[in-house]
Short mmCIF file of all heavy atoms in Angstrom, two decimals:
data_model
loop_
_atom_site.label_atom_id
_atom_site.label_comp_id
_atom_site.label_asym_id
_atom_site.label_seq_id
_atom_site.Cartn_x
_atom_site.Cartn_y
_atom_site.Cartn_z
N MET A 1474 293.63 7.13 174.49
CA MET A 1474 292.79 7.02 173.31
C MET A 1474 292.82 8.35 172.54
O MET A 1474 292.86 8.33 171.32
CB MET A 1474 291.38 6.62 173.71
CG MET A 1474 290.45 6.47 172.55
SD MET A 1474 288.85 5.72 172.89
CE MET A 1474 288.20 6.69 174.18
N ARG A 1475 292.79 9.44 173.25
CA ARG A 1475 292.81 10.73 172.55
C ARG A 1475 294.08 10.90 171.74
O ARG A 1475 294.05 11.33 170.60
CB ARG A 1475 292.64 11.87 173.55
CG ARG A 1475 292.73 13.23 172.89
CD ARG A 1475 291.76 14.20 173.53
NE ARG A 1475 291.97 15.55 173.14
CZ ARG A 1475 291.65 16.07 171.95
NH1 ARG A 1475 291.13 15.30 171.03
NH2 ARG A 1475 291.85 17.32 171.68
N ARG A 1476 295.21 10.55 172.35
CA ARG A 1476 296.48 10.70 171.65
C ARG A 1476 296.59 9.73 170.47
O ARG A 1476 297.16 10.07 169.43
CB ARG A 1476 297.64 10.47 172.61
CG ARG A 1476 298.98 10.75 171.97
CD ARG A 1476 300.11 10.41 172.88
NE ARG A 1476 300.20 8.95 172.91
CZ ARG A 1476 301.07 8.28 173.61
NH1 ARG A 1476 301.91 8.89 174.38
NH2 ARG A 1476 301.09 6.98 173.59
N GLU A 1477 296.06 8.54 170.63
CA GLU A 1477 296.20 7.51 169.59
C GLU A 1477 295.29 7.75 168.38
O GLU A 1477 295.73 7.56 167.26
CB GLU A 1477 295.91 6.13 170.17
CG GLU A 1477 296.95 5.66 171.15
CD GLU A 1477 298.32 5.47 170.51
OE1 GLU A 1477 298.42 5.15 169.32
OE2 GLU A 1477 299.31 5.66 171.23
N SER A 1478 294.04 8.11 168.62
CA SER A 1478 293.08 8.19 167.50
C SER A 1478 292.24 9.45 167.50
O SER A 1478 291.34 9.56 166.67
CB SER A 1478 292.14 6.99 167.55
OG SER A 1478 291.30 7.09 168.69
N ASN A 1479 292.49 10.35 168.45
CA ASN A 1479 291.65 11.53 168.61
C ASN A 1479 290.19 11.13 168.86
O ASN A 1479 289.27 11.78 168.39
CB ASN A 1479 291.79 12.49 167.44
CG ASN A 1479 291.35 13.88 167.80
OD1 ASN A 1479 291.41 14.28 168.96
ND2 ASN A 1479 290.89 14.63 166.82
N ASN A 1480 290.03 9.98 169.54
CA ASN A 1480 288.71 9.44 169.89
C ASN A 1480 287.87 9.05 168.67
O ASN A 1480 286.64 9.05 168.75
CB ASN A 1480 287.93 10.41 170.78
CG ASN A 1480 288.67 10.72 172.06
OD1 ASN A 1480 289.33 9.86 172.63
ND2 ASN A 1480 288.58 11.95 172.51
N ILE A 1481 288.52 8.71 167.57
CA ILE A 1481 287.81 8.31 166.35
C ILE A 1481 287.93 6.79 166.20
O ILE A 1481 289.02 6.28 165.92
CB ILE A 1481 288.39 9.02 165.11
CG1 ILE A 1481 288.25 10.53 165.27
CG2 ILE A 1481 287.71 8.53 163.84
CD1 ILE A 1481 288.99 11.35 164.23
N PRO A 1482 286.84 6.04 166.40
CA PRO A 1482 286.90 4.58 166.37
C PRO A 1482 287.38 3.99 165.05
O PRO A 1482 287.93 2.90 165.02
CB PRO A 1482 285.47 4.13 166.66
CG PRO A 1482 284.80 5.29 167.27
CD PRO A 1482 285.50 6.52 166.75
N THR A 1483 287.17 4.69 163.93
CA THR A 1483 287.56 4.16 162.62
C THR A 1483 288.95 4.62 162.17
O THR A 1483 289.33 4.41 161.03
CB THR A 1483 286.53 4.57 161.56
OG1 THR A 1483 286.42 6.00 161.54
CG2 THR A 1483 285.17 3.94 161.83
N ALA A 1484 289.71 5.21 163.08
CA ALA A 1484 291.05 5.70 162.72
C ALA A 1484 291.95 4.55 162.33
O ALA A 1484 291.94 3.49 162.94
CB ALA A 1484 291.65 6.47 163.89
N ARG A 1485 292.73 4.76 161.27
CA ARG A 1485 293.74 3.79 160.82
C ARG A 1485 294.95 4.58 160.36
O ARG A 1485 294.83 5.68 159.85
CB ARG A 1485 293.23 2.98 159.65
CG ARG A 1485 292.24 1.91 160.02
CD ARG A 1485 292.03 0.99 158.87
NE ARG A 1485 292.68 -0.27 159.21
CZ ARG A 1485 292.37 -1.42 158.66
NH1 ARG A 1485 291.46 -1.48 157.73
NH2 ARG A 1485 292.97 -2.52 159.02
N ASN A 1486 296.11 3.97 160.53
CA ASN A 1486 297.28 4.64 159.98
C ASN A 1486 298.04 3.70 159.06
O ASN A 1486 297.70 2.54 158.92
CB ASN A 1486 298.16 5.24 161.09
CG ASN A 1486 298.89 4.21 161.90
OD1 ASN A 1486 299.22 3.14 161.42
ND2 ASN A 1486 299.18 4.53 163.15
N ARG A 1487 299.08 4.21 158.43
CA ARG A 1487 299.82 3.44 157.43
C ARG A 1487 300.47 2.19 158.00
O ARG A 1487 300.71 1.23 157.28
CB ARG A 1487 300.88 4.31 156.78
CG ARG A 1487 300.30 5.35 155.85
CD ARG A 1487 301.41 6.19 155.30
NE ARG A 1487 301.96 6.99 156.39
CZ ARG A 1487 302.02 8.29 156.40
NH1 ARG A 1487 301.62 8.97 155.39
NH2 ARG A 1487 302.51 8.93 157.44
N SER A 1488 300.76 2.18 159.28
CA SER A 1488 301.40 1.00 159.88
C SER A 1488 300.43 -0.15 160.08
O SER A 1488 300.84 -1.26 160.39
CB SER A 1488 302.02 1.38 161.22
OG SER A 1488 301.01 1.58 162.19
N GLY A 1489 299.14 0.12 159.93
CA GLY A 1489 298.13 -0.89 160.17
C GLY A 1489 297.48 -0.76 161.54
O GLY A 1489 296.56 -1.50 161.86
N ALA A 1490 297.96 0.16 162.36
CA ALA A 1490 297.35 0.39 163.66
C ALA A 1490 295.93 0.90 163.44
O ALA A 1490 295.69 1.76 162.59
CB ALA A 1490 298.15 1.40 164.46
N SER A 1491 294.99 0.34 164.21
CA SER A 1491 293.58 0.59 163.92
C SER A 1491 292.75 0.78 165.18
O SER A 1491 293.01 0.18 166.21
CB SER A 1491 293.00 -0.60 163.15
OG SER A 1491 293.74 -0.87 161.99
N GLY A 1492 291.70 1.60 165.05
CA GLY A 1492 290.73 1.78 166.11
C GLY A 1492 291.11 2.82 167.14
O GLY A 1492 292.09 3.53 167.01
N CYS A 1493 290.29 2.89 168.16
CA CYS A 1493 290.45 3.90 169.22
C CYS A 1493 291.84 3.89 169.83
O CYS A 1493 292.43 4.93 170.08
CB CYS A 1493 289.43 3.66 170.33
SG CYS A 1493 287.72 3.83 169.83
N PHE A 1494 292.37 2.70 170.08
CA PHE A 1494 293.66 2.58 170.76
C PHE A 1494 294.78 2.21 169.80
O PHE A 1494 295.88 1.88 170.24
CB PHE A 1494 293.57 1.58 171.91
CG PHE A 1494 292.75 2.10 173.05
CD1 PHE A 1494 291.39 1.84 173.13
CD2 PHE A 1494 293.33 2.88 174.04
CE1 PHE A 1494 290.63 2.34 174.18
CE2 PHE A 1494 292.57 3.38 175.08
CZ PHE A 1494 291.22 3.11 175.16
N GLN A 1495 294.52 2.27 168.49
CA GLN A 1495 295.50 2.00 167.46
C GLN A 1495 296.21 0.67 167.68
O GLN A 1495 297.43 0.57 167.78
CB GLN A 1495 296.51 3.16 167.37
CG GLN A 1495 295.89 4.45 166.87
CD GLN A 1495 295.47 4.34 165.42
OE1 GLN A 1495 296.27 4.44 164.52
NE2 GLN A 1495 294.17 4.10 165.18
N LEU A 1496 295.41 -0.38 167.77
CA LEU A 1496 295.93 -1.73 167.94
C LEU A 1496 296.46 -2.23 166.60
O LEU A 1496 295.96 -1.86 165.55
CB LEU A 1496 294.82 -2.64 168.45
CG LEU A 1496 294.23 -2.21 169.80
CD1 LEU A 1496 293.01 -3.03 170.12
CD2 LEU A 1496 295.26 -2.32 170.90
N MET A 1497 297.48 -3.06 166.68
CA MET A 1497 298.12 -3.58 165.47
C MET A 1497 297.45 -4.89 165.05
O MET A 1497 297.40 -5.84 165.82
CB MET A 1497 299.60 -3.82 165.73
CG MET A 1497 300.38 -2.57 166.05
SD MET A 1497 300.42 -1.38 164.70
CE MET A 1497 301.40 -2.26 163.51
N LEU A 1498 296.96 -4.90 163.83
CA LEU A 1498 296.39 -6.11 163.26
C LEU A 1498 297.38 -6.65 162.24
O LEU A 1498 297.97 -5.86 161.52
CB LEU A 1498 295.05 -5.81 162.60
CG LEU A 1498 293.99 -5.25 163.54
CD1 LEU A 1498 292.79 -4.78 162.75
CD2 LEU A 1498 293.59 -6.29 164.56
N PRO A 1499 297.63 -7.93 162.14
CA PRO A 1499 297.03 -9.03 162.87
C PRO A 1499 297.72 -9.36 164.20
O PRO A 1499 297.32 -10.31 164.87
CB PRO A 1499 297.16 -10.20 161.90
CG PRO A 1499 298.40 -9.92 161.16
CD PRO A 1499 298.47 -8.41 161.04
N LEU A 1500 298.69 -8.58 164.60
CA LEU A 1500 299.42 -8.85 165.84
C LEU A 1500 298.50 -9.08 167.04
O LEU A 1500 298.73 -9.97 167.85
CB LEU A 1500 300.40 -7.71 166.14
CG LEU A 1500 301.22 -7.81 167.42
CD1 LEU A 1500 302.17 -9.00 167.35
CD2 LEU A 1500 302.01 -6.53 167.63
N HIS A 1501 297.45 -8.28 167.16
CA HIS A 1501 296.55 -8.38 168.31
C HIS A 1501 295.26 -9.14 168.01
O HIS A 1501 294.32 -9.09 168.80
CB HIS A 1501 296.24 -6.98 168.84
CG HIS A 1501 297.46 -6.27 169.31
ND1 HIS A 1501 297.82 -5.02 168.85
CD2 HIS A 1501 298.42 -6.64 170.19
CE1 HIS A 1501 298.96 -4.66 169.42
NE2 HIS A 1501 299.34 -5.62 170.23
N SER A 1502 295.21 -9.87 166.91
CA SER A 1502 294.01 -10.61 166.53
C SER A 1502 293.57 -11.58 167.62
O SER A 1502 292.38 -11.71 167.92
CB SER A 1502 294.22 -11.37 165.23
OG SER A 1502 294.37 -10.48 164.17
N ARG A 1503 294.52 -12.27 168.23
CA ARG A 1503 294.16 -13.25 169.26
C ARG A 1503 293.51 -12.57 170.46
O ARG A 1503 292.64 -13.15 171.11
CB ARG A 1503 295.37 -14.06 169.69
CG ARG A 1503 296.44 -13.25 170.38
CD ARG A 1503 297.61 -14.11 170.88
NE ARG A 1503 298.62 -13.29 171.47
CZ ARG A 1503 298.54 -12.72 172.67
NH1 ARG A 1503 297.45 -12.89 173.39
NH2 ARG A 1503 299.51 -11.96 173.13
N LEU A 1504 293.89 -11.33 170.74
CA LEU A 1504 293.27 -10.60 171.85
C LEU A 1504 291.82 -10.25 171.54
O LEU A 1504 290.97 -10.25 172.43
CB LEU A 1504 294.07 -9.34 172.19
CG LEU A 1504 295.49 -9.57 172.71
CD1 LEU A 1504 296.21 -8.25 172.89
CD2 LEU A 1504 295.47 -10.36 174.00
N PHE A 1505 291.54 -9.94 170.28
CA PHE A 1505 290.15 -9.70 169.88
C PHE A 1505 289.33 -10.96 170.10
O PHE A 1505 288.24 -10.92 170.67
CB PHE A 1505 290.06 -9.26 168.41
CG PHE A 1505 290.28 -7.80 168.21
CD1 PHE A 1505 291.54 -7.30 167.95
CD2 PHE A 1505 289.22 -6.91 168.27
CE1 PHE A 1505 291.75 -5.95 167.76
CE2 PHE A 1505 289.41 -5.55 168.08
CZ PHE A 1505 290.68 -5.07 167.83
N ASN A 1506 289.86 -12.09 169.64
CA ASN A 1506 289.15 -13.36 169.80
C ASN A 1506 288.93 -13.67 171.27
O ASN A 1506 287.84 -14.09 171.66
CB ASN A 1506 289.92 -14.49 169.11
CG ASN A 1506 289.94 -14.32 167.61
OD1 ASN A 1506 288.99 -13.85 167.01
ND2 ASN A 1506 291.03 -14.71 166.99
N ALA A 1507 289.94 -13.46 172.10
CA ALA A 1507 289.82 -13.75 173.53
C ALA A 1507 288.79 -12.85 174.21
O ALA A 1507 288.17 -13.25 175.20
CB ALA A 1507 291.18 -13.59 174.21
N ALA A 1508 288.59 -11.64 173.67
CA ALA A 1508 287.62 -10.71 174.24
C ALA A 1508 286.21 -10.94 173.68
O ALA A 1508 285.28 -10.22 174.04
CB ALA A 1508 288.06 -9.27 173.96
N GLY A 1509 286.07 -11.94 172.79
CA GLY A 1509 284.76 -12.24 172.23
C GLY A 1509 284.41 -11.43 171.00
O GLY A 1509 283.24 -11.32 170.63
N PHE A 1510 285.42 -10.88 170.35
CA PHE A 1510 285.21 -10.08 169.15
C PHE A 1510 286.03 -10.66 168.00
O PHE A 1510 287.05 -11.31 168.23
CB PHE A 1510 285.65 -8.62 169.37
CG PHE A 1510 284.77 -7.86 170.31
CD1 PHE A 1510 284.95 -7.94 171.68
CD2 PHE A 1510 283.73 -7.09 169.83
CE1 PHE A 1510 284.13 -7.26 172.56
CE2 PHE A 1510 282.90 -6.39 170.70
CZ PHE A 1510 283.10 -6.48 172.06
N SER A 1511 285.61 -10.39 166.80
CA SER A 1511 286.38 -10.76 165.63
C SER A 1511 287.36 -9.62 165.34
O SER A 1511 287.02 -8.44 165.54
CB SER A 1511 285.45 -10.94 164.43
OG SER A 1511 286.18 -10.97 163.23
N PRO A 1512 288.57 -9.93 164.87
CA PRO A 1512 289.48 -8.86 164.49
C PRO A 1512 288.89 -7.90 163.46
O PRO A 1512 289.26 -6.74 163.41
CB PRO A 1512 290.69 -9.60 163.92
CG PRO A 1512 290.65 -10.93 164.58
CD PRO A 1512 289.18 -11.25 164.73
N SER A 1513 287.92 -8.38 162.67
CA SER A 1513 287.28 -7.51 161.69
C SER A 1513 286.42 -6.43 162.36
O SER A 1513 285.98 -5.48 161.71
CB SER A 1513 286.43 -8.32 160.71
OG SER A 1513 285.35 -8.93 161.38
N GLN A 1514 286.19 -6.57 163.66
CA GLN A 1514 285.42 -5.58 164.41
C GLN A 1514 286.33 -4.55 165.08
O GLN A 1514 285.95 -3.91 166.05
CB GLN A 1514 284.57 -6.28 165.48
CG GLN A 1514 283.49 -7.17 164.91
CD GLN A 1514 282.79 -7.94 165.99
OE1 GLN A 1514 283.35 -8.88 166.55
NE2 GLN A 1514 281.57 -7.53 166.31
N TRP A 1515 287.50 -4.33 164.51
CA TRP A 1515 288.48 -3.41 165.11
C TRP A 1515 287.92 -2.00 165.32
O TRP A 1515 288.34 -1.30 166.22
CB TRP A 1515 289.75 -3.36 164.26
CG TRP A 1515 289.52 -2.85 162.86
CD1 TRP A 1515 289.29 -3.61 161.76
CD2 TRP A 1515 289.48 -1.49 162.43
NE1 TRP A 1515 289.10 -2.80 160.66
CE2 TRP A 1515 289.21 -1.50 161.04
CE3 TRP A 1515 289.63 -0.28 163.07
CZ2 TRP A 1515 289.11 -0.33 160.29
CZ3 TRP A 1515 289.52 0.89 162.33
CH2 TRP A 1515 289.27 0.85 160.96
N ALA A 1516 286.94 -1.58 164.52
CA ALA A 1516 286.38 -0.23 164.65
C ALA A 1516 285.28 -0.14 165.70
O ALA A 1516 284.80 0.96 165.98
CB ALA A 1516 285.85 0.25 163.30
N ASP A 1517 284.89 -1.26 166.29
CA ASP A 1517 283.89 -1.24 167.35
C ASP A 1517 284.57 -0.67 168.60
O ASP A 1517 285.52 -1.26 169.12
CB ASP A 1517 283.40 -2.66 167.61
CG ASP A 1517 282.38 -2.73 168.73
OD1 ASP A 1517 282.67 -2.24 169.84
OD2 ASP A 1517 281.30 -3.29 168.51
N PRO A 1518 284.12 0.48 169.09
CA PRO A 1518 284.82 1.10 170.23
C PRO A 1518 284.82 0.24 171.49
O PRO A 1518 285.78 0.27 172.25
CB PRO A 1518 284.09 2.43 170.45
CG PRO A 1518 282.85 2.38 169.64
CD PRO A 1518 283.00 1.30 168.63
N VAL A 1519 283.77 -0.53 171.71
CA VAL A 1519 283.72 -1.39 172.90
C VAL A 1519 284.76 -2.51 172.76
O VAL A 1519 285.54 -2.78 173.67
CB VAL A 1519 282.30 -1.96 173.12
CG1 VAL A 1519 282.31 -2.98 174.24
CG2 VAL A 1519 281.33 -0.84 173.43
N GLY A 1520 284.77 -3.17 171.61
CA GLY A 1520 285.74 -4.24 171.38
C GLY A 1520 287.16 -3.74 171.43
O GLY A 1520 288.03 -4.36 172.04
N ASN A 1521 287.42 -2.61 170.78
CA ASN A 1521 288.76 -2.05 170.76
C ASN A 1521 289.22 -1.69 172.18
O ASN A 1521 290.36 -1.94 172.55
CB ASN A 1521 288.79 -0.82 169.84
CG ASN A 1521 290.17 -0.51 169.33
OD1 ASN A 1521 290.91 0.24 169.96
ND2 ASN A 1521 290.52 -1.09 168.19
N THR A 1522 288.32 -1.18 172.98
CA THR A 1522 288.65 -0.81 174.36
C THR A 1522 288.91 -2.05 175.20
O THR A 1522 289.87 -2.08 175.99
CB THR A 1522 287.53 0.04 174.98
OG1 THR A 1522 287.38 1.23 174.19
CG2 THR A 1522 287.84 0.42 176.41
N LYS A 1523 288.10 -3.10 175.02
CA LYS A 1523 288.33 -4.33 175.78
C LYS A 1523 289.67 -4.96 175.43
O LYS A 1523 290.40 -5.44 176.29
CB LYS A 1523 287.19 -5.33 175.54
CG LYS A 1523 285.93 -4.96 176.26
CD LYS A 1523 284.86 -6.03 176.09
CE LYS A 1523 283.65 -5.65 176.92
NZ LYS A 1523 282.67 -6.73 177.00
N VAL A 1524 290.00 -4.95 174.16
CA VAL A 1524 291.29 -5.50 173.74
C VAL A 1524 292.43 -4.64 174.27
O VAL A 1524 293.44 -5.16 174.76
CB VAL A 1524 291.35 -5.63 172.20
CG1 VAL A 1524 292.75 -6.02 171.75
CG2 VAL A 1524 290.34 -6.66 171.72
N ALA A 1525 292.28 -3.33 174.22
CA ALA A 1525 293.32 -2.44 174.75
C ALA A 1525 293.51 -2.67 176.25
O ALA A 1525 294.64 -2.68 176.74
CB ALA A 1525 292.97 -0.99 174.47
N TRP A 1526 292.43 -2.87 176.97
CA TRP A 1526 292.52 -3.12 178.41
C TRP A 1526 293.28 -4.43 178.66
O TRP A 1526 294.14 -4.50 179.53
CB TRP A 1526 291.13 -3.15 179.04
CG TRP A 1526 291.13 -3.48 180.49
CD1 TRP A 1526 290.57 -4.58 181.07
CD2 TRP A 1526 291.73 -2.74 181.56
NE1 TRP A 1526 290.78 -4.55 182.44
CE2 TRP A 1526 291.49 -3.43 182.76
CE3 TRP A 1526 292.44 -1.55 181.61
CZ2 TRP A 1526 291.94 -2.98 183.99
CZ3 TRP A 1526 292.90 -1.10 182.85
CH2 TRP A 1526 292.65 -1.81 184.01
N SER A 1527 292.97 -5.45 177.89
CA SER A 1527 293.66 -6.73 178.02
C SER A 1527 295.15 -6.57 177.73
O SER A 1527 296.00 -7.10 178.45
CB SER A 1527 293.04 -7.74 177.05
OG SER A 1527 293.73 -8.94 177.06
N LEU A 1528 295.46 -5.82 176.69
CA LEU A 1528 296.86 -5.56 176.34
C LEU A 1528 297.55 -4.76 177.44
O LEU A 1528 298.69 -5.05 177.81
CB LEU A 1528 296.93 -4.82 175.00
CG LEU A 1528 298.30 -4.54 174.43
CD1 LEU A 1528 299.09 -5.83 174.22
CD2 LEU A 1528 298.16 -3.77 173.12
N TYR A 1529 296.87 -3.78 177.98
CA TYR A 1529 297.43 -2.98 179.07
C TYR A 1529 297.72 -3.85 180.30
O TYR A 1529 298.77 -3.72 180.92
CB TYR A 1529 296.48 -1.84 179.44
CG TYR A 1529 296.91 -1.08 180.66
CD1 TYR A 1529 297.94 -0.16 180.58
CD2 TYR A 1529 296.30 -1.30 181.89
CE1 TYR A 1529 298.35 0.53 181.71
CE2 TYR A 1529 296.71 -0.62 183.02
CZ TYR A 1529 297.74 0.30 182.92
OH TYR A 1529 298.16 0.96 184.04
N LYS A 1530 296.80 -4.75 180.64
CA LYS A 1530 297.01 -5.62 181.79
C LYS A 1530 298.22 -6.53 181.58
O LYS A 1530 298.93 -6.85 182.52
CB LYS A 1530 295.77 -6.46 182.08
CG LYS A 1530 294.63 -5.65 182.66
CD LYS A 1530 293.49 -6.51 183.17
CE LYS A 1530 292.88 -7.35 182.09
NZ LYS A 1530 291.70 -8.11 182.52
N ALA A 1531 298.49 -6.92 180.34
CA ALA A 1531 299.61 -7.81 180.04
C ALA A 1531 300.94 -7.07 179.87
O ALA A 1531 301.99 -7.59 180.24
CB ALA A 1531 299.31 -8.61 178.78
N ALA A 1532 300.89 -5.85 179.33
CA ALA A 1532 302.13 -5.18 178.96
C ALA A 1532 302.27 -3.75 179.48
O ALA A 1532 303.24 -3.07 179.15
CB ALA A 1532 302.25 -5.17 177.43
N GLY A 1533 301.31 -3.29 180.25
CA GLY A 1533 301.37 -1.91 180.74
C GLY A 1533 301.26 -0.92 179.59
O GLY A 1533 300.60 -1.19 178.59
N THR A 1534 301.92 0.18 179.73
CA THR A 1534 301.82 1.23 178.70
C THR A 1534 302.82 1.04 177.56
O THR A 1534 302.81 1.81 176.61
CB THR A 1534 302.05 2.62 179.33
OG1 THR A 1534 303.33 2.66 179.93
CG2 THR A 1534 300.96 2.95 180.34
N SER A 1535 303.66 0.02 177.65
CA SER A 1535 304.72 -0.15 176.64
C SER A 1535 304.22 -0.20 175.19
O SER A 1535 304.90 0.32 174.30
CB SER A 1535 305.60 -1.35 176.95
OG SER A 1535 304.86 -2.55 176.91
N PRO A 1536 303.04 -0.78 174.89
CA PRO A 1536 302.58 -0.75 173.50
C PRO A 1536 302.27 0.65 172.98
O PRO A 1536 302.18 0.85 171.77
CB PRO A 1536 301.32 -1.62 173.51
CG PRO A 1536 301.48 -2.51 174.69
CD PRO A 1536 302.19 -1.65 175.71
N TRP A 1537 302.11 1.61 173.86
CA TRP A 1537 301.74 2.97 173.46
C TRP A 1537 302.82 4.01 173.75
O TRP A 1537 302.56 5.21 173.67
CB TRP A 1537 300.44 3.37 174.15
CG TRP A 1537 299.29 2.50 173.73
CD1 TRP A 1537 298.55 2.63 172.61
CD2 TRP A 1537 298.75 1.39 174.45
NE1 TRP A 1537 297.58 1.66 172.56
CE2 TRP A 1537 297.69 0.87 173.68
CE3 TRP A 1537 299.07 0.77 175.66
CZ2 TRP A 1537 296.94 -0.22 174.09
CZ3 TRP A 1537 298.32 -0.32 176.06
CH2 TRP A 1537 297.28 -0.81 175.28
N VAL A 1538 304.01 3.56 174.06
CA VAL A 1538 305.09 4.50 174.39
C VAL A 1538 305.49 5.27 173.14
O VAL A 1538 305.64 4.70 172.05
CB VAL A 1538 306.30 3.73 174.96
CG1 VAL A 1538 307.51 4.63 175.09
CG2 VAL A 1538 305.95 3.13 176.31
N LEU A 1539 305.66 6.56 173.31
CA LEU A 1539 306.15 7.39 172.20
C LEU A 1539 307.61 7.08 171.95
O LEU A 1539 308.40 6.96 172.89
CB LEU A 1539 306.00 8.87 172.54
CG LEU A 1539 304.61 9.44 172.57
CD1 LEU A 1539 304.65 10.88 173.07
CD2 LEU A 1539 303.97 9.38 171.20
N THR A 1540 307.97 6.97 170.70
CA THR A 1540 309.37 6.79 170.34
C THR A 1540 309.80 7.95 169.46
O THR A 1540 309.02 8.44 168.65
CB THR A 1540 309.61 5.47 169.59
OG1 THR A 1540 308.76 5.41 168.46
CG2 THR A 1540 309.33 4.27 170.51
N ASN A 1541 310.99 8.38 169.65
CA ASN A 1541 311.54 9.45 168.81
C ASN A 1541 312.36 8.82 167.71
O ASN A 1541 313.24 8.02 167.96
CB ASN A 1541 312.42 10.38 169.64
CG ASN A 1541 311.62 11.12 170.68
OD1 ASN A 1541 310.49 11.49 170.42
ND2 ASN A 1541 312.19 11.32 171.84
N TYR A 1542 312.06 9.21 166.50
CA TYR A 1542 312.78 8.65 165.36
C TYR A 1542 313.81 9.65 164.89
O TYR A 1542 313.71 10.78 164.89
CB TYR A 1542 311.82 8.31 164.23
CG TYR A 1542 310.90 7.19 164.59
CD1 TYR A 1542 309.62 7.43 165.07
CD2 TYR A 1542 311.34 5.87 164.48
CE1 TYR A 1542 308.77 6.39 165.39
CE2 TYR A 1542 310.49 4.83 164.82
CZ TYR A 1542 309.22 5.10 165.27
OH TYR A 1542 308.39 4.06 165.59
#
C-alpha cells in the first residue's frame, strides 16, 4: 500500500488506478461488488483493502509487480 499510494486512500493516477492499493476501475468493479462495496467507494480504505485482499488471494502479487518500461 505504501508503494502504491503512499497510504493515501484518495490517490488516483492517469491509468485509472485508484485507492490505497491502486486498483483498476472498471476492471476490478466486480470485486468491489463481491466484497459488499460499490465501485464508487474506491476511496474507502476498508473497501479498497478488502478488494485488494480478494485480488491477492486470486492472483498473488502479480497485479502489483513492478515493470520496467
Side-chain angles (χ1 to χ4, degrees):
M1474 181 169 55
R1475 177 143 168 74
R1476 186 185 74 180
E1477 292 296 330
S1478 68
N1479 200 27
N1480 302 323
I1481 300 170
T1483 57
R1485 284 192 108 158
N1486 71 29
R1487 288 178 291 238
S1488 73
S1491 305
C1493 296
F1494 289 92
Q1495 293 293 280
L1496 301 171
M1497 297 297 293
L1498 299 171
L1500 178 65
H1501 299 126
S1502 293
R1503 65 177 178 75
L1504 295 175
F1505 276 91
N1506 293 325
F1510 291 84
S1511 166
S1513 66
Q1514 294 174 287
W1515 62 265
D1517 179 306
V1519 173
N1521 203 270
T1522 300
K1523 285 185 176 190
V1524 172
W1526 176 244
S1527 175
L1528 184 58
Y1529 173 77
K1530 288 190 299 185
T1534 59
S1535 63
W1537 296 278
V1538 170
L1539 290 174
T1540 55
N1541 294 324
Y1542 294 96

